[in-house]
């Protein structure tokens, strides 16, 4: 039932919030910590931020009352070409008592003069423990209400809360009537939602990794024109009927991207899944029961479906991945089966026939086919990028690395190969790489246990390239290659080639490599005569 009084519409036993069409909307959030925002996982390097965007070319302001006696603070949105926005951000740092300088176009910098400065923070000035004022303590238990309002509420387009301490009931953002994006991610303190409107204009919604889960979607999601829906660890569907009722029936005409990581789905999808004809991407990651998962019988209607991400969902039958490859009538497919090969018993993945639809494959973390890449790689004739990371901790019994290249010379369209963390693999270039004329990028960071192993690798690349590439200018096969053998974020098992980086004896630009005698001289030739780019550990 709805009652109207004066210029207000009020809820009476329904879902519609109190809305004053031309009035002011104030959102109230419960939080704790010594600063805003405080990270929900305060002891990781993951950032946290609260970001708001206005519609293009529309100037705006946000007003925040931190309930600490410092009054209401005014922040003007920042321009980025036609866009306007603002971001309050606690940037990542390995020390939970420190924060990094706020960056980005929309960052609040400087802040409001209360300790935040260049960091994009507000430090509360009324803490019971005065020694905590102007310090970072995400877990500080003193709670408070933070009040947020906007100068031009009707022009707010996007609101994102990521990894922020928010507690209890989350207020209705449906009061922001022209909002098209609402992202709530990694906020375990949220335990309920305020009653929401019956419908919204929202097209992109995330309710991911919150402190609550449900076997139903909120009504305001079902009645909105949602294109991108992330309900990781939120929606609990135990039957195909529940999935059909909660997701397919209300959203099949608009949904393009669906993420249900951490959601149990141990059943055959209903035939109505094939009615989601606009679906482009389906993510069902994390290790949950999936032995009984199956696509519907007819996949021919899914003419936009290109991305299938199943990282860690290793119980899902590979036969269903094969059906996605062979039966979904799209090209340019991207498949993630990360960890599928990380099983005590080695397994392979073989297609029924050569495939011309998959362009990207991630099969990381597994020994697969007795230590070589799965057979399917060589059957993928349109494949442009393959990623098979190893495990940095290969001493763990459940972690398996590759030991050799095998032979996937049939993947003749390959451009990029990523074999990072493959410490137990002989990475020397095999002769059959000549069958991959478009091969330009090879990444092998953190993959060499000894100096000799890395020097041998450099020697093998030099021998392969000088035997198969032209010295003449031009972007011909095996010229302009990018060899990535070092990443400062994972510097272990990385080396500098032996020798001195210099011209070898007899070297002539664009005509002769001379007689290089060290791996470093060979790398010099590859960089200067073949236009390679090499990223190796600095000296």
């Amino acid at each position: 039932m709805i009652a109207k009084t004066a210029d207000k519409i009020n809820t009476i036993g329904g879902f519609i919030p109190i809305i004053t069409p031309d009035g002011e909307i104030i959102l109230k959030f419960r939080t704790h910590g010594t600063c805003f925002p405080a990270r929900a996982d305060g002891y990781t390097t993951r950032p946290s931020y609260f970001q708001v965007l206005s519609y293009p070319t529309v100037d705006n302001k946000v007003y925040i009352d931190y309930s600490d006696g410092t009054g209401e603070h005014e922040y003007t949105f920042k321009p980025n070409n036609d866009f306007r926005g603002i971001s309050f951000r606690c940037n990542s740092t390995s020390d939970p008592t420190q924060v990094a300088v706020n960056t980005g176009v929309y960052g609040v910098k400087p802040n409001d003069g209360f300790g935040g400065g260049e960091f994009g923070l507000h430090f509360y000035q009324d803490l019971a423990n005065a020694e905590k004022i102007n310090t970072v303590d995400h877990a500080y238990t003193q709670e408070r209400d933070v009040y947020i309002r906007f100068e031009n509420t009707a022009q707010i387009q996007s609101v994102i809360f990521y990894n922020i301490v928010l507690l209890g009931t989350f207020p209705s953002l449906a009061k922001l009537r022209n909002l098209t994006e609402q992202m709530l991610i990694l906020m375990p303190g949220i335990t309920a939602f305020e009653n929401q409107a019956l419908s919204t204009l929202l097209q992109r919604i995330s309710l991911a990794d919150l402190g609550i889960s449900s076997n139903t979607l909120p009504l305001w999601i079902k009645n909105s024109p949602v294109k991108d829906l992330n309900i990781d660890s939120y929606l609990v569907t135990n039957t195909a009927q529940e999935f059909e009722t909660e997701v397919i029936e209300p959203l099949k005409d608009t949904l393009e991207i669906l993420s249900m990581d951490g959601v149990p789905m141990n059943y055959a999808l209903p035939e109505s899944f094939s009615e989601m004809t606009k679906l482009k991407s389906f993510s069902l990651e994390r290790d949950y029961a999936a032995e009984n998962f199956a696509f519907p019988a007819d996949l021919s209607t899914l003419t936009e479906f290109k991305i299938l991400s199943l990282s860690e969902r290793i119980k899902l039958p590979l036969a269903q991945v094969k059906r996605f490859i062979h039966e979904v009538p799209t090209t340019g497919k991207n498949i993630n089966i990360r960890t599928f090969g990380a099983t005590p018993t080695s397994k392979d993945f073989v297609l029924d026939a050569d495939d011309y639809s998959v362009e990207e494959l991630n099969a990381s973390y597994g020994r697969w086919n007795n230590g070589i890449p799965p057979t399917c790689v060589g059957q993928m004739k349109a494949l442009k990028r393959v990623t098979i990371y190893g495990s940095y901790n290969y001493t763990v019994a459940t972690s398996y690395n590759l030991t050799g290249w095998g032979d996937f010379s049939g993947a003749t369209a390959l451009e990029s190969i990523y074999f990072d963390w493959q410490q137990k693999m002989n990475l020397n270039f095999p002769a059959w790489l000549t069958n991959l004329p478009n091969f330009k990028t090879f990444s092998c960071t953190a993959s060499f246990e000894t100096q000799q192993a890395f020097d041998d690798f450099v020697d093998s690349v030099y021998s392969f390239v000088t035997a198969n590439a032209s010295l003449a200018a031009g972007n011909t096969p095996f010229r302009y290659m990018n060899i990535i053998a070092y990443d400062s974020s994972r510097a272990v098992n990385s080396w500098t080639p032996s020798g001195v980086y210099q011209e070898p004896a007899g070297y002539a630009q664009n005509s002769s490599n001379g007689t290089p005698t060290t791996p470093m001289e060979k790398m010099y030739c590859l960089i200067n005569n073949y236009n390679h780019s090499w990223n190796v550990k600095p000296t």
Side-chain angles (χ1 to χ4, degrees), residues 395-410:
T395 61
V396 176
T398 56
S399 299
Y400 302 97
N401 286 28
L402 299 179
T403 56
W405 283 78
D407 185 347
F408 47 90
S409 56

Side-chain angles (χ1 to χ4, degrees), residues 97-335:
T97 68
Q98 301 294 322
V99 288
V101 173
N102 195 5
T103 57
V105 175
Y106 300 126
V108 180
K109 186 176 69 173
N111 204 326
D112 51 32
F114 289 96
E118 72 272 26
F119 298 116
L121 302 173
H122 173 87
F123 289 103
Y124 305 127
Q125 300 297 302
D126 66 338
L127 302 180
N129 181 353
E131 293 181 356
K132 287 286 187 177
I133 295 175
N134 296 335
T135 69
V136 178
D137 186 346
H138 305 290
Y140 188 69
T141 58
Q142 183 174 332
E143 295 186 6
R144 70 184 60 248
D145 291 326
V146 172
Y147 297 88
I148 298 176
R149 65 183 181 90
F150 303 98
E151 182 178 64
N152 195 340
T153 302
Q155 295 299 324
I156 298 298
Q157 183 179 36
S158 167
V159 175
I160 301 174
F161 288 90
Y162 180 86
N163 189 30
I164 289 179
V165 174
L166 293 181
L167 308 172
T169 299
F170 189 86
S172 171
L173 296 189
K175 297 172 183 178
L176 307 177
R177 288 166 293 162
N178 294 315
L179 198 68
T180 62
E181 178 180 68
Q182 173 181 315
M183 309 293 284
L184 311 180
I185 304 170
L186 290 167
M187 293 190 295
I190 293 177
T191 57
F193 291 106
E194 181 184 342
N195 286 343
Q196 303 273 1
L198 288 173
S199 64
T200 73
L201 298 179
L202 286 165
Q203 297 180 20
R204 189 179 185 207
I205 300 173
S206 177
L207 305 180
D209 299 299
L210 307 179
I212 52 175
S213 60
S214 174
N215 62 357
T216 62
L217 283 183
L219 190 60
W220 54 273
I221 293 182
K222 295 179 183 179
N223 290 337
S224 299
V226 183
K227 295 182 179 180
D228 183 340
L229 179 63
N230 181 341
I231 44 176
D232 295 351
S233 296
Y234 177 77
L235 182 68
V236 179
T237 58
N238 295 312
T239 67
Q241 181 61 53
E242 287 179 345
F243 180 61
E244 183 174 52
T245 300
E246 296 304 315
V247 177
I248 297 175
E249 289 180 357
L251 303 177
K252 64 184 179 182
D253 293 332
T254 60
L255 198 60
E256 299 176 2
I257 300 171
L258 175 61
S259 181
M260 298 180 67
D261 300 348
V263 173
M265 191 169 281
N266 194 21
Y267 49 80
L269 296 181
E271 293 302 313
S272 57
F273 183 83
S274 296
E275 297 175 18
M276 300 175 71
T277 56
K278 294 183 178 180
L279 187 68
K280 298 177 181 179
S281 173
F282 183 35
S283 182
L284 194 64
E285 298 185 352
R286 305 180 194 171
D287 188 12
Y288 281 79
E291 297 89 339
N292 299 311
F293 177 90
F295 284 114
D298 182 11
L299 298 176
S300 64
T301 59
L302 301 177
T303 57
E304 302 292 326
F305 190 13
K306 295 189 176 187
I307 300 174
L308 180 63
S309 189
L310 303 171
S311 176
E312 300 180 18
R313 189 73 65 132
I314 61 176
K315 298 180 183 68
L316 189 144
L318 278 170
Q320 297 304 313
V321 182
K322 190 187 301 185
R323 289 193 58 212
F324 170 74
I325 294 171
H326 289 314
E327 299 178 31
V328 173
T330 53
T331 56
K333 291 182 180 131
N334 183 331
I335 300 174

Side-chain angles (χ1 to χ4, degrees), residues 313-437:
R313 189 73 65 132
I314 61 176
K315 298 180 183 68
L316 189 144
L318 278 170
Q320 297 304 313
V321 182
K322 190 187 301 185
R323 289 193 58 212
F324 170 74
I325 294 171
H326 289 314
E327 299 178 31
V328 173
T330 53
T331 56
K333 291 182 180 131
N334 183 331
I335 300 174
N336 185 343
I337 50 173
R338 178 179 179 268
T339 73
F340 270 58
T343 54
T345 302
S346 176
K347 64 182 177 183
D348 199 4
F349 183 26
V350 185
L351 303 182
D352 295 338
D354 285 348
D355 167 70
Y356 294 85
S357 70
V358 178
E359 290 189 359
E360 293 191 34
L361 174 68
N362 186 334
S364 295
Y365 304 120
R367 61 179 174 180
W368 287 103
N369 193 8
N370 287 315
I372 61 175
T375 299
C376 66
V377 177
Q379 296 176 287
M380 294 176 172
K381 305 302 181 181
L383 190 65
K384 294 182 179 181
R385 171 173 172 153
V386 62
T387 300
I388 308 180
Y389 286 0
S391 171
Y392 70 93
N393 189 4
Y394 49 78
T395 61
V396 176
T398 56
S399 299
Y400 302 97
N401 286 28
L402 299 179
T403 56
W405 283 78
D407 185 347
F408 47 90
S409 56
T412 53
L414 261 175
E415 300 173 0
S416 304
I417 300 172
Y418 288 79
F419 282 172
D420 301 285
W421 289 114
Q422 293 291 2
Q423 305 96 329
K424 297 301 182 183
M425 180 179 177
N426 182 347
L427 288 160
N428 294 351
F429 274 18
W432 57 258
L433 286 176
T434 54
N435 292 293
L436 313 182

